[in-house]
Amino acid sequence: MLNPGESAPDFALPAANMDLIQLADYRGRHNVVLYFFNKDHTPGGIAEAVEFSERVDSFAEHDTVILGVSMDECLAHELFREEEGIEFELLSDAEGEVSRRYHALKKWEAHGMVRYGIDRSTFVIDKHGLIRHAFYHVAPKGHAAEILGLIRSLDSVDA
């Protein structure tokens, strides 16, 4: 697991529109809320994405961008963004490489089959690339409001 105070692992992943997004691009300019979710079009995935999307402007007031990551392909993300009105980037980690580095990819066995999936996780990364908050096993409902509160308190600490 990653902990507050550690450097956030850098990455480059394709967004829904196929543009490559790098965490390093935000360093020195923006805080980043990086959240990992199971899948597009699932009840939890929809709830969490919509709640973050409804607060995009509030996050932007605090120099913060939101990036959602799942193992869905870019085209699925694009459709999901259009259908749900998502106002931030969704990144495709199809191989699970970045999810592994953030300890958000979990392995489990069911009926003799080994499966991998995302453990819903969120990281608040400051402008210096340090993890300020790390959450694993996140419940999607109400989570975006909680994270916005932490971003606001981050501003007062950094001021």
Side-chain angles (χ1 to χ4, degrees), residues 30-123:
H30 297 284
N31 300 308
V32 175
V33 172
L34 179 67
Y35 84 94
F36 294 83
F37 66 103
N38 302 1
K39 197 161 180 48
D40 297 336
H41 301 102
T42 60
I46 292 168
E48 192 170 23
V50 168
E51 287 186 16
F52 271 120
S53 191
E54 290 171 347
R55 292 165 175 81
V56 163
D57 292 339
S58 296
F59 279 102
E61 289 172 11
H62 300 278
D63 294 326
T64 301
V65 298
I66 302 160
L67 300 174
V69 178
S70 79
M71 295 173 71
D72 291 297
E73 297 293 336
C74 294
L75 293 176
H77 279 332
E78 186 63 27
L79 183 62
F80 183 55
R81 287 184 77 212
E82 288 173 12
E83 288 176 355
E84 300 299 335
I86 306 304
E87 299 290 326
F88 57 88
E89 296 292 354
L90 296 177
L91 309 181
S92 175
D93 186 22
E95 301 300 316
E97 178 185 326
V98 174
S99 300
R100 271 187 202 86
R101 294 202 335 241
Y102 278 82
H103 304 278
L105 188 67
K106 299 298 176 199
K107 176 174 119 174
W108 73 93
E109 214 173 308
H111 308 292
M113 301 277 295
V114 173
R115 298 187 187 273
Y116 291 88
I118 300 290
D119 176 18
R120 194 179 306 279
S121 307
T122 303
F123 303 88

Side-chain angles (χ1 to χ4, degrees), residues 6 11 20 23-24 38 42 46 49-50 70 89 124-125 131 137 145:
E6 294 179 11
F11 62 82
L20 202 59
L23 182 61
N38 302 1
T42 60
I46 292 168
V50 168
S70 79
E89 296 292 354
V124 176
I125 302 165
I131 296 171
H137 319 298

